[in-house]
Amino acid sequence: MSQRSPSRVGSCSAGCCADLRARGFTVSLSQEGELDGLPQSVADSLGKIAREATANIVKHGDLRGPCTVMVSVDAREAELVFMNEPHPLPT
């Protein structure tokens, strides 16, 4: 039987958003589904992915464009999306 993780994914995604905001990004966070009770291995993997996505946005992102973080969990899958829309170039 695998261990369950009480909302580690929610805490991690919120922490990543806070880190991006602290660095000057405008961030919106959307969470869908039951984040509590994910198997520990899934929560750990999603946490690693969230931290890497945050580091990539910090390194390569555009402060002028909004960031969106979406977490979606259902009985079959978990999805974690980080987006940073680049600011449009002047025409």
Side-chain angles (χ1 to χ4, degrees):
M1 183 179 206
S2 64
Q3 283 186 315
R4 300 291 178 173
S5 173
S7 197
R8 284 187 64 192
V9 175
S11 296
C12 182
S13 57
C16 290
C17 289
D19 186 32
L20 289 169
R21 286 185 187 108
R23 295 171 183 270
F25 289 92
T26 300
V27 183
S28 64
L29 172 62
S30 169
Q31 296 183 12
E32 295 181 12
E34 184 58 48
L35 300 179
D36 291 335
L38 287 173
Q40 188 69 45
S41 61
V42 173
D44 289 346
S45 294
L46 290 174
K48 289 176 184 176
I49 292 166
R51 287 186 293 279
E52 180 65 21
T54 300
N56 286 340
I57 289 175
V58 167
K59 185 175 181 179
H60 304 291
D62 186 345
L63 283 170
R64 299 168 297 168
C67 291
T68 304
V69 177
M70 296 181 290
V71 183
S72 177
V73 176
D74 65 25
R76 298 191 63 212
E77 65 184 11
E79 183 176 23
L80 181 61
V81 177
F82 279 68
M83 295 186 300
N84 175 226
E85 298 293 327
H87 185 70
L89 295 174
T91 55

PDB file of all heavy atoms in Angstrom, residues 22-65:
ATOM      1  N   ALA A  22       7.490  36.778  -6.409  1.00  0.00           N
ATOM      2  CA  ALA A  22       8.583  37.468  -5.737  1.00  0.00           C
ATOM      3  C   ALA A  22       9.648  37.929  -6.737  1.00  0.00           C
ATOM      4  O   ALA A  22      10.372  38.891  -6.477  1.00  0.00           O
ATOM      5  CB  ALA A  22       9.222  36.560  -4.678  1.00  0.00           C
ATOM      6  N   ARG A  23       9.717  37.265  -7.870  1.00  0.00           N
ATOM      7  CA  ARG A  23      10.692  37.630  -8.905  1.00  0.00           C
ATOM      8  C   ARG A  23      10.106  38.587  -9.940  1.00  0.00           C
ATOM      9  O   ARG A  23      10.748  38.885 -10.946  1.00  0.00           O
ATOM     10  CB  ARG A  23      11.236  36.370  -9.565  1.00  0.00           C
ATOM     11  CG  ARG A  23      12.031  35.522  -8.585  1.00  0.00           C
ATOM     12  CD  ARG A  23      12.374  34.186  -9.201  1.00  0.00           C
ATOM     13  NE  ARG A  23      13.065  33.343  -8.257  1.00  0.00           N
ATOM     14  CZ  ARG A  23      14.382  33.304  -8.098  1.00  0.00           C
ATOM     15  NH1 ARG A  23      15.164  34.101  -8.803  1.00  0.00           N
ATOM     16  NH2 ARG A  23      14.921  32.489  -7.225  1.00  0.00           N
ATOM     17  N   GLY A  24       8.860  39.029  -9.715  1.00  0.00           N
ATOM     18  CA  GLY A  24       8.271  40.053 -10.569  1.00  0.00           C
ATOM     19  C   GLY A  24       7.288  39.572 -11.615  1.00  0.00           C
ATOM     20  O   GLY A  24       6.781  40.375 -12.402  1.00  0.00           O
ATOM     21  N   PHE A  25       6.986  38.271 -11.649  1.00  0.00           N
ATOM     22  CA  PHE A  25       6.019  37.755 -12.616  1.00  0.00           C
ATOM     23  C   PHE A  25       4.594  37.961 -12.098  1.00  0.00           C
ATOM     24  O   PHE A  25       4.350  37.905 -10.892  1.00  0.00           O
ATOM     25  CB  PHE A  25       6.244  36.253 -12.863  1.00  0.00           C
ATOM     26  CG  PHE A  25       7.484  35.945 -13.645  1.00  0.00           C
ATOM     27  CD1 PHE A  25       8.679  35.675 -12.999  1.00  0.00           C
ATOM     28  CD2 PHE A  25       7.464  35.915 -15.025  1.00  0.00           C
ATOM     29  CE1 PHE A  25       9.834  35.386 -13.708  1.00  0.00           C
ATOM     30  CE2 PHE A  25       8.608  35.624 -15.756  1.00  0.00           C
ATOM     31  CZ  PHE A  25       9.793  35.356 -15.092  1.00  0.00           C
ATOM     32  N   THR A  26       3.666  38.174 -13.011  1.00  0.00           N
ATOM     33  CA  THR A  26       2.241  38.178 -12.691  1.00  0.00           C
ATOM     34  C   THR A  26       1.763  36.741 -12.882  1.00  0.00           C
ATOM     35  O   THR A  26       1.926  36.171 -13.967  1.00  0.00           O
ATOM     36  CB  THR A  26       1.472  39.122 -13.636  1.00  0.00           C
ATOM     37  OG1 THR A  26       1.998  40.432 -13.487  1.00  0.00           O
ATOM     38  CG2 THR A  26      -0.006  39.112 -13.319  1.00  0.00           C
ATOM     39  N   VAL A  27       1.172  36.149 -11.837  1.00  0.00           N
ATOM     40  CA  VAL A  27       0.857  34.718 -11.856  1.00  0.00           C
ATOM     41  C   VAL A  27      -0.590  34.477 -11.469  1.00  0.00           C
ATOM     42  O   VAL A  27      -1.102  35.075 -10.526  1.00  0.00           O
ATOM     43  CB  VAL A  27       1.773  33.947 -10.868  1.00  0.00           C
ATOM     44  CG1 VAL A  27       1.499  32.454 -10.939  1.00  0.00           C
ATOM     45  CG2 VAL A  27       3.234  34.240 -11.130  1.00  0.00           C
ATOM     46  N   SER A  28      -1.243  33.571 -12.205  1.00  0.00           N
ATOM     47  CA  SER A  28      -2.554  33.075 -11.792  1.00  0.00           C
ATOM     48  C   SER A  28      -2.434  31.562 -11.579  1.00  0.00           C
ATOM     49  O   SER A  28      -1.689  30.883 -12.284  1.00  0.00           O
ATOM     50  CB  SER A  28      -3.625  33.395 -12.829  1.00  0.00           C
ATOM     51  OG  SER A  28      -3.356  32.727 -14.042  1.00  0.00           O
ATOM     52  N   LEU A  29      -3.159  31.063 -10.594  1.00  0.00           N
ATOM     53  CA  LEU A  29      -3.121  29.645 -10.228  1.00  0.00           C
ATOM     54  C   LEU A  29      -4.526  29.070 -10.302  1.00  0.00           C
ATOM     55  O   LEU A  29      -5.476  29.653  -9.767  1.00  0.00           O
ATOM     56  CB  LEU A  29      -2.570  29.477  -8.812  1.00  0.00           C
ATOM     57  CG  LEU A  29      -2.630  28.082  -8.185  1.00  0.00           C
ATOM     58  CD1 LEU A  29      -1.798  27.085  -8.991  1.00  0.00           C
ATOM     59  CD2 LEU A  29      -2.161  28.132  -6.739  1.00  0.00           C
ATOM     60  N   SER A  30      -4.664  27.941 -10.977  1.00  0.00           N
ATOM     61  CA  SER A  30      -5.935  27.230 -11.072  1.00  0.00           C
ATOM     62  C   SER A  30      -5.708  25.790 -10.622  1.00  0.00           C
ATOM     63  O   SER A  30      -4.800  25.120 -11.119  1.00  0.00           O
ATOM     64  CB  SER A  30      -6.426  27.250 -12.525  1.00  0.00           C
ATOM     65  OG  SER A  30      -7.501  26.370 -12.703  1.00  0.00           O
ATOM     66  N   GLN A  31      -6.518  25.346  -9.653  1.00  0.00           N
ATOM     67  CA  GLN A  31      -6.415  23.965  -9.180  1.00  0.00           C
ATOM     68  C   GLN A  31      -7.778  23.304  -9.291  1.00  0.00           C
ATOM     69  O   GLN A  31      -8.767  23.848  -8.814  1.00  0.00           O
ATOM     70  CB  GLN A  31      -5.934  23.929  -7.729  1.00  0.00           C
ATOM     71  CG  GLN A  31      -4.544  24.473  -7.547  1.00  0.00           C
ATOM     72  CD  GLN A  31      -4.035  24.362  -6.130  1.00  0.00           C
ATOM     73  OE1 GLN A  31      -4.612  23.696  -5.286  1.00  0.00           O
ATOM     74  NE2 GLN A  31      -2.932  25.019  -5.849  1.00  0.00           N
ATOM     75  N   GLU A  32      -7.800  22.137  -9.917  1.00  0.00           N
ATOM     76  CA  GLU A  32      -9.035  21.377 -10.070  1.00  0.00           C
ATOM     77  C   GLU A  32      -8.825  19.960  -9.567  1.00  0.00           C
ATOM     78  O   GLU A  32      -7.774  19.378  -9.778  1.00  0.00           O
ATOM     79  CB  GLU A  32      -9.463  21.323 -11.536  1.00  0.00           C
ATOM     80  CG  GLU A  32      -9.839  22.649 -12.123  1.00  0.00           C
ATOM     81  CD  GLU A  32     -10.284  22.520 -13.566  1.00  0.00           C
ATOM     82  OE1 GLU A  32     -10.518  21.385 -14.029  1.00  0.00           O
ATOM     83  OE2 GLU A  32     -10.382  23.555 -14.228  1.00  0.00           O
ATOM     84  N   GLY A  33      -9.839  19.431  -8.931  1.00  0.00           N
ATOM     85  CA  GLY A  33      -9.775  18.065  -8.458  1.00  0.00           C
ATOM     86  C   GLY A  33      -9.262  17.976  -7.039  1.00  0.00           C
ATOM     87  O   GLY A  33      -8.912  18.972  -6.408  1.00  0.00           O
ATOM     88  N   GLU A  34      -9.211  16.773  -6.548  1.00  0.00           N
ATOM     89  CA  GLU A  34      -8.802  16.492  -5.174  1.00  0.00           C
ATOM     90  C   GLU A  34      -7.302  16.278  -5.118  1.00  0.00           C
ATOM     91  O   GLU A  34      -6.784  15.253  -5.555  1.00  0.00           O
ATOM     92  CB  GLU A  34      -9.538  15.251  -4.667  1.00  0.00           C
ATOM     93  CG  GLU A  34      -9.274  14.918  -3.232  1.00  0.00           C
ATOM     94  CD  GLU A  34      -9.634  16.061  -2.286  1.00  0.00           C
ATOM     95  OE1 GLU A  34     -10.736  16.608  -2.412  1.00  0.00           O
ATOM     96  OE2 GLU A  34      -8.794  16.398  -1.428  1.00  0.00           O
ATOM     97  N   LEU A  35      -6.593  17.286  -4.598  1.00  0.00           N
ATOM     98  CA  LEU A  35      -5.135  17.189  -4.518  1.00  0.00           C
ATOM     99  C   LEU A  35      -4.686  16.392  -3.306  1.00  0.00           C
ATOM    100  O   LEU A  35      -3.581  15.850  -3.291  1.00  0.00           O
ATOM    101  CB  LEU A  35      -4.516  18.584  -4.473  1.00  0.00           C
ATOM    102  CG  LEU A  35      -4.807  19.483  -5.672  1.00  0.00           C
ATOM    103  CD1 LEU A  35      -4.142  20.839  -5.487  1.00  0.00           C
ATOM    104  CD2 LEU A  35      -4.363  18.848  -6.960  1.00  0.00           C
ATOM    105  N   ASP A  36      -5.519  16.329  -2.287  1.00  0.00           N
ATOM    106  CA  ASP A  36      -5.183  15.534  -1.107  1.00  0.00           C
ATOM    107  C   ASP A  36      -5.233  14.057  -1.459  1.00  0.00           C
ATOM    108  O   ASP A  36      -6.062  13.615  -2.240  1.00  0.00           O
ATOM    109  CB  ASP A  36      -6.168  15.790   0.039  1.00  0.00           C
ATOM    110  CG  ASP A  36      -6.028  17.178   0.626  1.00  0.00           C
ATOM    111  OD1 ASP A  36      -4.946  17.763   0.512  1.00  0.00           O
ATOM    112  OD2 ASP A  36      -7.014  17.665   1.198  1.00  0.00           O
ATOM    113  N   GLY A  37      -4.342  13.319  -0.897  1.00  0.00           N
ATOM    114  CA  GLY A  37      -4.414  11.870  -1.026  1.00  0.00           C
ATOM    115  C   GLY A  37      -3.769  11.285  -2.259  1.00  0.00           C
ATOM    116  O   GLY A  37      -3.956  10.107  -2.541  1.00  0.00           O
ATOM    117  N   LEU A  38      -3.008  12.080  -3.006  1.00  0.00           N
ATOM    118  CA  LEU A  38      -2.265  11.487  -4.116  1.00  0.00           C
ATOM    119  C   LEU A  38      -1.214  10.534  -3.560  1.00  0.00           C
ATOM    120  O   LEU A  38      -0.667  10.776  -2.484  1.00  0.00           O
ATOM    121  CB  LEU A  38      -1.554  12.568  -4.932  1.00  0.00           C
ATOM    122  CG  LEU A  38      -2.404  13.457  -5.820  1.00  0.00           C
ATOM    123  CD1 LEU A  38      -1.542  14.574  -6.400  1.00  0.00           C
ATOM    124  CD2 LEU A  38      -3.040  12.657  -6.929  1.00  0.00           C
ATOM    125  N   PRO A  39      -0.914   9.459  -4.276  1.00  0.00           N
ATOM    126  CA  PRO A  39       0.190   8.606  -3.832  1.00  0.00           C
ATOM    127  C   PRO A  39       1.473   9.437  -3.684  1.00  0.00           C
ATOM    128  O   PRO A  39       1.718  10.371  -4.457  1.00  0.00           O
ATOM    129  CB  PRO A  39       0.329   7.579  -4.952  1.00  0.00           C
ATOM    130  CG  PRO A  39      -1.022   7.546  -5.594  1.00  0.00           C
ATOM    131  CD  PRO A  39      -1.541   8.954  -5.490  1.00  0.00           C
ATOM    132  N   GLN A  40       2.267   9.112  -2.700  1.00  0.00           N
ATOM    133  CA  GLN A  40       3.485   9.871  -2.408  1.00  0.00           C
ATOM    134  C   GLN A  40       4.382   9.997  -3.626  1.00  0.00           C
ATOM    135  O   GLN A  40       4.935  11.066  -3.891  1.00  0.00           O
ATOM    136  CB  GLN A  40       4.254   9.197  -1.257  1.00  0.00           C
ATOM    137  CG  GLN A  40       5.421  10.013  -0.753  1.00  0.00           C
ATOM    138  CD  GLN A  40       4.967  11.270  -0.035  1.00  0.00           C
ATOM    139  OE1 GLN A  40       4.057  11.211   0.768  1.00  0.00           O
ATOM    140  NE2 GLN A  40       5.590  12.387  -0.326  1.00  0.00           N
ATOM    141  N   SER A  41       4.524   8.925  -4.392  1.00  0.00           N
ATOM    142  CA  SER A  41       5.401   8.961  -5.568  1.00  0.00           C
ATOM    143  C   SER A  41       4.896   9.956  -6.607  1.00  0.00           C
ATOM    144  O   SER A  41       5.683  10.662  -7.248  1.00  0.00           O
ATOM    145  CB  SER A  41       5.538   7.571  -6.183  1.00  0.00           C
ATOM    146  OG  SER A  41       4.274   7.097  -6.615  1.00  0.00           O
ATOM    147  N   VAL A  42       3.589  10.046  -6.781  1.00  0.00           N
ATOM    148  CA  VAL A  42       3.004  11.002  -7.726  1.00  0.00           C
ATOM    149  C   VAL A  42       3.211  12.425  -7.223  1.00  0.00           C
ATOM    150  O   VAL A  42       3.623  13.319  -7.973  1.00  0.00           O
ATOM    151  CB  VAL A  42       1.505  10.706  -7.955  1.00  0.00           C
ATOM    152  CG1 VAL A  42       0.852  11.799  -8.795  1.00  0.00           C
ATOM    153  CG2 VAL A  42       1.318   9.340  -8.597  1.00  0.00           C
ATOM    154  N   ALA A  43       2.939  12.662  -5.945  1.00  0.00           N
ATOM    155  CA  ALA A  43       3.122  13.989  -5.357  1.00  0.00           C
ATOM    156  C   ALA A  43       4.584  14.426  -5.460  1.00  0.00           C
ATOM    157  O   ALA A  43       4.869  15.580  -5.805  1.00  0.00           O
ATOM    158  CB  ALA A  43       2.660  13.993  -3.903  1.00  0.00           C
ATOM    159  N   ASP A  44       5.514  13.521  -5.191  1.00  0.00           N
ATOM    160  CA  ASP A  44       6.940  13.845  -5.289  1.00  0.00           C
ATOM    161  C   ASP A  44       7.322  14.203  -6.727  1.00  0.00           C
ATOM    162  O   ASP A  44       8.041  15.180  -6.960  1.00  0.00           O
ATOM    163  CB  ASP A  44       7.802  12.684  -4.806  1.00  0.00           C
ATOM    164  CG  ASP A  44       7.744  12.478  -3.302  1.00  0.00           C
ATOM    165  OD1 ASP A  44       7.257  13.376  -2.578  1.00  0.00           O
ATOM    166  OD2 ASP A  44       8.187  11.401  -2.846  1.00  0.00           O
ATOM    167  N   SER A  45       6.830  13.433  -7.675  1.00  0.00           N
ATOM    168  CA  SER A  45       7.137  13.703  -9.089  1.00  0.00           C
ATOM    169  C   SER A  45       6.567  15.043  -9.530  1.00  0.00           C
ATOM    170  O   SER A  45       7.249  15.827 -10.198  1.00  0.00           O
ATOM    171  CB  SER A  45       6.582  12.590  -9.977  1.00  0.00           C
ATOM    172  OG  SER A  45       7.253  11.378  -9.715  1.00  0.00           O
ATOM    173  N   LEU A  46       5.327  15.315  -9.179  1.00  0.00           N
ATOM    174  CA  LEU A  46       4.714  16.593  -9.543  1.00  0.00           C
ATOM    175  C   LEU A  46       5.448  17.765  -8.888  1.00  0.00           C
ATOM    176  O   LEU A  46       5.615  18.822  -9.502  1.00  0.00           O
ATOM    177  CB  LEU A  46       3.232  16.608  -9.171  1.00  0.00           C
ATOM    178  CG  LEU A  46       2.333  15.695 -10.008  1.00  0.00           C
ATOM    179  CD1 LEU A  46       0.917  15.681  -9.438  1.00  0.00           C
ATOM    180  CD2 LEU A  46       2.329  16.114 -11.463  1.00  0.00           C
ATOM    181  N   GLY A  47       5.906  17.577  -7.659  1.00  0.00           N
ATOM    182  CA  GLY A  47       6.673  18.618  -6.990  1.00  0.00           C
ATOM    183  C   GLY A  47       7.980  18.921  -7.717  1.00  0.00           C
ATOM    184  O   GLY A  47       8.354  20.086  -7.891  1.00  0.00           O
ATOM    185  N   LYS A  48       8.672  17.874  -8.156  1.00  0.00           N
ATOM    186  CA  LYS A  48       9.924  18.058  -8.901  1.00  0.00           C
ATOM    187  C   LYS A  48       9.664  18.768 -10.229  1.00  0.00           C
ATOM    188  O   LYS A  48      10.420  19.664 -10.634  1.00  0.00           O
ATOM    189  CB  LYS A  48      10.599  16.714  -9.146  1.00  0.00           C
ATOM    190  CG  LYS A  48      11.191  16.105  -7.899  1.00  0.00           C
ATOM    191  CD  LYS A  48      11.761  14.735  -8.178  1.00  0.00           C
ATOM    192  CE  LYS A  48      12.256  14.093  -6.886  1.00  0.00           C
ATOM    193  NZ  LYS A  48      12.738  12.728  -7.115  1.00  0.00           N
ATOM    194  N   ILE A  49       8.587  18.384 -10.896  1.00  0.00           N
ATOM    195  CA  ILE A  49       8.235  19.011 -12.170  1.00  0.00           C
ATOM    196  C   ILE A  49       7.898  20.483 -11.957  1.00  0.00           C
ATOM    197  O   ILE A  49       8.331  21.354 -12.723  1.00  0.00           O
ATOM    198  CB  ILE A  49       7.059  18.264 -12.835  1.00  0.00           C
ATOM    199  CG1 ILE A  49       7.516  16.865 -13.263  1.00  0.00           C
ATOM    200  CG2 ILE A  49       6.509  19.053 -14.015  1.00  0.00           C
ATOM    201  CD1 ILE A  49       6.375  15.924 -13.610  1.00  0.00           C
ATOM    202  N   ALA A  50       7.147  20.780 -10.902  1.00  0.00           N
ATOM    203  CA  ALA A  50       6.769  22.168 -10.613  1.00  0.00           C
ATOM    204  C   ALA A  50       8.001  23.019 -10.330  1.00  0.00           C
ATOM    205  O   ALA A  50       8.107  24.156 -10.820  1.00  0.00           O
ATOM    206  CB  ALA A  50       5.802  22.208  -9.434  1.00  0.00           C
ATOM    207  N   ARG A  51       8.934  22.496  -9.564  1.00  0.00           N
ATOM    208  CA  ARG A  51      10.147  23.260  -9.266  1.00  0.00           C
ATOM    209  C   ARG A  51      10.990  23.491 -10.524  1.00  0.00           C
ATOM    210  O   ARG A  51      11.542  24.574 -10.729  1.00  0.00           O
ATOM    211  CB  ARG A  51      10.955  22.569  -8.163  1.00  0.00           C
ATOM    212  CG  ARG A  51      10.290  22.715  -6.784  1.00  0.00           C
ATOM    213  CD  ARG A  51      11.143  22.166  -5.665  1.00  0.00           C
ATOM    214  NE  ARG A  51      11.311  20.720  -5.730  1.00  0.00           N
ATOM    215  CZ  ARG A  51      10.416  19.827  -5.293  1.00  0.00           C
ATOM    216  NH1 ARG A  51       9.282  20.232  -4.750  1.00  0.00           N
ATOM    217  NH2 ARG A  51      10.661  18.535  -5.389  1.00  0.00           N
ATOM    218  N   GLU A  52      11.083  22.489 -11.385  1.00  0.00           N
ATOM    219  CA  GLU A  52      11.837  22.644 -12.627  1.00  0.00           C
ATOM    220  C   GLU A  52      11.146  23.636 -13.563  1.00  0.00           C
ATOM    221  O   GLU A  52      11.817  24.477 -14.185  1.00  0.00           O
ATOM    222  CB  GLU A  52      11.986  21.283 -13.329  1.00  0.00           C
ATOM    223  CG  GLU A  52      12.753  21.341 -14.626  1.00  0.00           C
ATOM    224  CD  GLU A  52      14.218  21.731 -14.472  1.00  0.00           C
ATOM    225  OE1 GLU A  52      14.784  21.587 -13.372  1.00  0.00           O
ATOM    226  OE2 GLU A  52      14.807  22.183 -15.476  1.00  0.00           O
ATOM    227  N   ALA A  53       9.835  23.567 -13.659  1.00  0.00           N
ATOM    228  CA  ALA A  53       9.100  24.519 -14.505  1.00  0.00           C
ATOM    229  C   ALA A  53       9.277  25.948 -13.998  1.00  0.00           C
ATOM    230  O   ALA A  53       9.451  26.883 -14.783  1.00  0.00           O
ATOM    231  CB  ALA A  53       7.616  24.145 -14.540  1.00  0.00           C
ATOM    232  N   THR A  54       9.256  26.114 -12.683  1.00  0.00           N
ATOM    233  CA  THR A  54       9.473  27.437 -12.090  1.00  0.00           C
ATOM    234  C   THR A  54      10.868  27.946 -12.430  1.00  0.00           C
ATOM    235  O   THR A  54      11.039  29.101 -12.842  1.00  0.00           O
ATOM    236  CB  THR A  54       9.286  27.377 -10.564  1.00  0.00           C
ATOM    237  OG1 THR A  54       7.952  26.954 -10.286  1.00  0.00           O
ATOM    238  CG2 THR A  54       9.529  28.720  -9.920  1.00  0.00           C
ATOM    239  N   ALA A  55      11.863  27.101 -12.287  1.00  0.00           N
ATOM    240  CA  ALA A  55      13.239  27.494 -12.604  1.00  0.00           C
ATOM    241  C   ALA A  55      13.365  27.875 -14.084  1.00  0.00           C
ATOM    242  O   ALA A  55      14.068  28.841 -14.421  1.00  0.00           O
ATOM    243  CB  ALA A  55      14.209  26.362 -12.261  1.00  0.00           C
ATOM    244  N   ASN A  56      12.698  27.149 -14.956  1.00  0.00           N
ATOM    245  CA  ASN A  56      12.754  27.457 -16.388  1.00  0.00           C
ATOM    246  C   ASN A  56      12.105  28.801 -16.700  1.00  0.00           C
ATOM    247  O   ASN A  56      12.617  29.566 -17.520  1.00  0.00           O
ATOM    248  CB  ASN A  56      12.098  26.349 -17.208  1.00  0.00           C
ATOM    249  CG  ASN A  56      12.947  25.106 -17.284  1.00  0.00           C
ATOM    250  OD1 ASN A  56      14.148  25.151 -17.061  1.00  0.00           O
ATOM    251  ND2 ASN A  56      12.317  23.984 -17.576  1.00  0.00           N
ATOM    252  N   ILE A  57      10.974  29.088 -16.051  1.00  0.00           N
ATOM    253  CA  ILE A  57      10.331  30.385 -16.274  1.00  0.00           C
ATOM    254  C   ILE A  57      11.222  31.502 -15.754  1.00  0.00           C
ATOM    255  O   ILE A  57      11.387  32.534 -16.409  1.00  0.00           O
ATOM    256  CB  ILE A  57       8.925  30.423 -15.648  1.00  0.00           C
ATOM    257  CG1 ILE A  57       7.973  29.531 -16.454  1.00  0.00           C
ATOM    258  CG2 ILE A  57       8.391  31.855 -15.592  1.00  0.00           C
ATOM    259  CD1 ILE A  57       6.584  29.389 -15.856  1.00  0.00           C
ATOM    260  N   VAL A  58      11.810  31.322 -14.592  1.00  0.00           N
ATOM    261  CA  VAL A  58      12.707  32.344 -14.045  1.00  0.00           C
ATOM    262  C   VAL A  58      13.878  32.579 -15.000  1.00  0.00           C
ATOM    263  O   VAL A  58      14.255  33.724 -15.272  1.00  0.00           O
ATOM    264  CB  VAL A  58      13.203  31.938 -12.637  1.00  0.00           C
ATOM    265  CG1 VAL A  58      14.356  32.816 -12.188  1.00  0.00           C
ATOM    266  CG2 VAL A  58      12.054  31.992 -11.643  1.00  0.00           C
ATOM    267  N   LYS A  59      14.422  31.509 -15.534  1.00  0.00           N
ATOM    268  CA  LYS A  59      15.603  31.619 -16.393  1.00  0.00           C
ATOM    269  C   LYS A  59      15.275  32.138 -17.792  1.00  0.00           C
ATOM    270  O   LYS A  59      16.006  32.960 -18.340  1.00  0.00           O
ATOM    271  CB  LYS A  59      16.275  30.243 -16.506  1.00  0.00           C
ATOM    272  CG  LYS A  59      17.572  30.260 -17.279  1.00  0.00           C
ATOM    273  CD  LYS A  59      18.237  28.902 -17.232  1.00  0.00           C
ATOM    274  CE  LYS A  59      19.555  28.928 -17.991  1.00  0.00           C
ATOM    275  NZ  LYS A  59      20.218  27.622 -17.942  1.00  0.00           N
ATOM    276  N   HIS A  60      14.170  31.658 -18.361  1.00  0.00           N
ATOM    277  CA  HIS A  60      13.881  31.944 -19.771  1.00  0.00           C
ATOM    278  C   HIS A  60      12.626  32.793 -19.983  1.00  0.00           C
ATOM    279  O   HIS A  60      12.321  33.149 -21.111  1.00  0.00           O
ATOM    280  CB  HIS A  60      13.696  30.639 -20.547  1.00  0.00           C
ATOM    281  CG  HIS A  60      14.847  29.705 -20.445  1.00  0.00           C
ATOM    282  ND1 HIS A  60      16.069  29.948 -21.025  1.00  0.00           N
ATOM    283  CD2 HIS A  60      14.966  28.508 -19.795  1.00  0.00           C
ATOM    284  CE1 HIS A  60      16.887  28.940 -20.761  1.00  0.00           C
ATOM    285  NE2 HIS A  60      16.244  28.058 -20.013  1.00  0.00           N
ATOM    286  N   GLY A  61      11.884  33.084 -18.918  1.00  0.00           N
ATOM    287  CA  GLY A  61      10.582  33.722 -19.055  1.00  0.00           C
ATOM    288  C   GLY A  61      10.644  35.202 -19.365  1.00  0.00           C
ATOM    289  O   GLY A  61      11.685  35.841 -19.320  1.00  0.00           O
ATOM    290  N   ASP A  62       9.466  35.733 -19.659  1.00  0.00           N
ATOM    291  CA  ASP A  62       9.285  37.143 -19.980  1.00  0.00           C
ATOM    292  C   ASP A  62       8.475  37.783 -18.859  1.00  0.00           C
ATOM    293  O   ASP A  62       7.291  37.472 -18.693  1.00  0.00           O
ATOM    294  CB  ASP A  62       8.564  37.271 -21.314  1.00  0.00           C
ATOM    295  CG  ASP A  62       8.444  38.701 -21.814  1.00  0.00           C
ATOM    296  OD1 ASP A  62       8.668  39.650 -21.022  1.00  0.00           O
ATOM    297  OD2 ASP A  62       8.124  38.872 -23.003  1.00  0.00           O
ATOM    298  N   LEU A  63       9.116  38.657 -18.087  1.00  0.00           N
ATOM    299  CA  LEU A  63       8.435  39.322 -16.969  1.00  0.00           C
ATOM    300  C   LEU A  63       7.219  40.124 -17.418  1.00  0.00           C
ATOM    301  O   LEU A  63       6.301  40.349 -16.641  1.00  0.00           O
ATOM    302  CB  LEU A  63       9.399  40.264 -16.232  1.00  0.00           C
ATOM    303  CG  LEU A  63      10.392  39.617 -15.292  1.00  0.00           C
ATOM    304  CD1 LEU A  63      11.427  40.636 -14.844  1.00  0.00           C
ATOM    305  CD2 LEU A  63       9.682  39.022 -14.096  1.00  0.00           C
ATOM    306  N   ARG A  64       7.207  40.556 -18.670  1.00  0.00           N
ATOM    307  CA  ARG A  64       6.096  41.363 -19.160  1.00  0.00           C
ATOM    308  C   ARG A  64       4.876  40.522 -19.506  1.00  0.00           C
ATOM    309  O   ARG A  64       3.779  41.045 -19.650  1.00  0.00           O
ATOM    310  CB  ARG A  64       6.527  42.155 -20.390  1.00  0.00           C
ATOM    311  CG  ARG A  64       7.676  43.115 -20.089  1.00  0.00           C
ATOM    312  CD  ARG A  64       8.268  43.655 -21.364  1.00  0.00           C
ATOM    313  NE  ARG A  64       8.837  42.535 -22.125  1.00  0.00           N
ATOM    314  CZ  ARG A  64       9.234  42.614 -23.388  1.00  0.00           C
ATOM    315  NH1 ARG A  64       9.134  43.744 -24.046  1.00  0.00           N
ATOM    316  NH2 ARG A  64       9.743  41.565 -23.999  1.00  0.00           N
ATOM    317  N   GLY A  65       5.058  39.207 -19.659  1.00  0.00           N
ATOM    318  CA  GLY A  65       3.945  38.324 -20.010  1.00  0.00           C
ATOM    319  C   GLY A  65       3.428  37.597 -18.785  1.00  0.00           C
ATOM    320  O   GLY A  65       4.178  37.299 -17.864  1.00  0.00           O
TER     321      GLY A  65
END
